Amino acid sequence: MKSLVFTVTNDLNYDQRMARICGTLASNGYKVTLIGRKRRNSPPLLPREYNQKRLPCFFDKGKLFYLEYNFKLFWFLIFRSFYAVCAIDLDTILPAFLVCKLRGKVLVYDAHEYFTEMEEIVRRPAIKAAWSALERFTLPRIKHAYTISDGYARLYMETYDRVFEVIRNVPRTSSIPNIETPSTNRIIQYQGALNIGRGLEEAIQAVSELDGFTLRIFGDGPISETLNELVQELKAEEKVEFMGLFSPADLREKTQQAWIGLCLFSDTGLHHQYSLGNRFFDYFHAGIPQISMDFPEYKAFNLKYGVATLIPELNKDTIKSAILELDVNTQMYKQLKMNCAKAREDNCWEKESVKLLSFYSKI
């Protein structure tokens, strides 16, 4: 039985991708351990079919957090028995890389993000230079890697001449309400991390100027306080609701109750332009249409399945226009909703997990 260790920087409970990956491997004979961090307000770990370990950290964000967490992760890994370590993103790659080199173990890289092109990094040249140097040092020396979109895989091939397999972050199929039943509410839903470049400010501005719509924001993140201040400034407290963090099961239920979802990004950095966000799949799996960006990956998918209305640029006016079009054009809305059924049938974890198992069988 091969022992696999996965490393992330979150507190494990709300990471649906890692729950799917680790759960699938554990149920197929691998001994799996997922390592994350313990925050001051972290709830108890959810029971899983694999081992979980949280490393407590004094620092919660910024450079000192990354230094502390990577230091602790190195010393945790150096004495642990395993066959391979899979580092998720650049923020856990260094300790995994060093330990595997020192001990002659297999290293795998899972690029959830095109890390050096994330907006919060692109905006800070010194930070970008540091992460880019780490990427240049490690990635050319890693043999086994996968990522979440064809766009990211092409970028890594062009930059480092390395093949990245594509294992998308698609949900498992689950029962949903009758997809033909028209929605009577006008709940617009965002779910995911509250980070810059996710269209949250623009969405709040758009909804604040519309009557009869409610924007529900599920998640937490660095700009939570800024978004709350914006809602107060616009006097939109009755139109925007901050829902906080929900367990994956509870979030799926809430998503099914929404009218549409939002999968929006700025065009700053290649990370957004070639992404294929988790929520994009979550929305059509819940049977709801969505507003997304006219970026290459979303455009290609939508040409095939037609689950979203795409906007050419991110601003409050394009979002408002898309919302009103879906509200007025009931036939269009119904067709998008119907298309979700075919999309979720073809794009589900039951099929995507076959690629995951094939990948790990070869390392």
Side-chain angles (χ1 to χ4, degrees):
M1 179 188 296
K2 288 182 179 178
S3 177
L4 307 176
V5 176
F6 293 82
T7 61
V8 298
T9 57
N10 61 61
D11 79 347
L12 307 185
N13 274 356
Y14 305 105
D15 193 332
Q16 296 188 59
R17 176 173 169 85
M18 292 316 302
R20 282 190 283 267
I21 288 174
C22 294
T24 296
L25 291 168
S27 63
N28 282 273
Y30 293 88
K31 182 181 179 181
V32 177
T33 300
L34 177 61
I35 305 172
R37 65 156 151 169
K38 184 175 183 179
R39 307 184 73 172
R40 295 180 183 87
N41 60 347
S42 291
L45 284 167
L46 296 173
R48 306 286 192 189
E49 57 268 61
Y50 49 86
N51 298 318
Q52 301 174 89
K53 172 66 178 179
R54 284 171 168 165
L55 303 179
C57 291
F58 178 79
F59 298 102
D60 194 57
K61 59 183 179 180
K63 301 181 188 70
L64 292 176
F65 159 68
Y66 287 115
L67 287 171
E68 179 188 13
Y69 182 76
N70 277 263
F71 178 81
K72 290 184 174 180
L73 182 58
F74 174 88
W75 287 107
F76 180 85
L77 292 174
I78 198 72
F79 295 114
R80 190 170 187 87
S81 175
F82 59 83
Y83 174 77
V85 174
C86 178
I88 285 75
D89 291 322
L90 279 182
D91 50 4
T92 68
I93 199 172
L94 187 57
F97 179 87
L98 294 174
V99 168
C100 287
K101 286 295 182 183
L102 288 170
R103 297 181 57 192
K105 299 294 185 177
V106 176
L107 176 62
V108 179
Y109 183 53
D110 178 354
H112 286 198
E113 321 278 1
Y114 196 67
F115 203 90
T116 58
E117 287 290 320
M118 293 170 63
E119 182 165 349
E120 49 267 52
I121 290 176
V122 170
R123 288 184 174 189
R124 298 181 291 173
I127 300 297
K128 177 176 169 59
W131 285 114
S132 296
L134 177 61
E135 185 180 78
R136 289 193 302 271
F137 175 70
T138 54
L139 260 59
R141 296 171 172 83
I142 296 175
K143 183 179 178 181
H144 309 287
Y146 54 94
T147 187
I148 56 111
S149 77
D150 291 325
Y152 287 175
R154 287 193 298 271
L155 289 170
Y156 283 121
M157 172 58 77
E158 291 169 4
T159 307
Y160 296 107
D161 194 28
R162 281 288 179 271
V163 174
F164 275 64
E165 299 291 330
V166 177
I167 301 173
R168 299 171 304 160
N169 195 18
V170 291
R172 290 185 174 91
T173 51
S174 58
S175 60
I176 59 173
N178 185 352
I179 210 162
E180 297 184 20
T181 303
S183 298
T184 56
N185 64 60
R186 287 297 181 266
I187 296 172
I188 302 165
Q189 180 158 321
Y190 171 89
Q191 58 193 62
L194 309 191
N195 285 327
I196 59 174
R198 305 295 177 90
L200 289 162
E201 298 93 335
E202 293 85 353
I204 289 170
Q205 291 166 352
V207 172
S208 73
E209 297 178 6
L210 296 172
D211 293 323
F213 301 90
T214 300
L215 173 61
R216 288 184 178 170
I217 299 174
F218 290 81
D220 194 11
I223 66 169
S224 297
E225 186 175 338
T226 302
L227 296 176
N228 272 281
E229 291 172 356
L230 177 61
V231 169
Q232 293 171 22
E233 178 186 329
L234 297 172
K235 296 181 172 56
E237 291 90 344
E238 294 185 0
K239 296 182 178 182
V240 180
E241 300 176 2
F242 292 93
M243 308 298 291
L245 292 166
F246 276 63
S247 70
D250 291 338
L251 182 59
R252 279 193 296 273
E253 183 178 339
K254 293 294 185 181
T255 308
Q256 292 172 6
Q257 297 169 7
W259 176 59
I260 61 170
L262 297 179
C263 185
L264 306 174
F265 297 99
S266 72
D267 61 0
T268 303
L270 298 175
H271 168 69
H272 287 163
Q273 295 177 41
Y274 291 93
S275 68
L276 205 50
N278 306 351
R279 67 189 69 85
F280 181 76
F281 297 107
D282 291 337
Y283 294 143
F284 70 72
H285 263 261
I288 65 169
Q290 60 185 290
I291 299 171
S292 190
M293 303 305 301
D294 193 17
F295 290 166
E297 296 296 313
Y298 301 108
K299 184 175 183 178
F301 190 97
N302 209 49
L303 282 172
K304 185 173 183 179
Y305 291 104
V307 296
T309 181
L310 305 182
I311 59 176
E313 57 184 298
L314 181 62
N315 58 61
K316 69 172 183 177
D317 293 325
T318 56
I319 297 171
K320 279 174 60 179
S321 296
I323 292 172
L324 292 173
E325 182 180 19
L326 288 170
D327 185 43
V328 173
N329 192 340
T330 55
Q331 186 58 42
M332 174 187 177
Y333 177 86
K334 182 179 179 180
Q335 186 61 58
L336 292 175
K337 197 170 177 65
M338 294 290 291
N339 292 345
C340 290
K342 174 61 176 173
R344 67 188 238 114
E345 179 183 325
D346 290 351
N347 302 273
C348 60
W349 186 246
E350 288 81 355
K351 295 182 178 180
E352 203 74 10
S353 62
V354 174
K355 295 193 289 185
L356 177 79
L357 293 171
S358 175
F359 177 92
Y360 277 97
S361 71
K362 297 172 184 175
I363 66 172

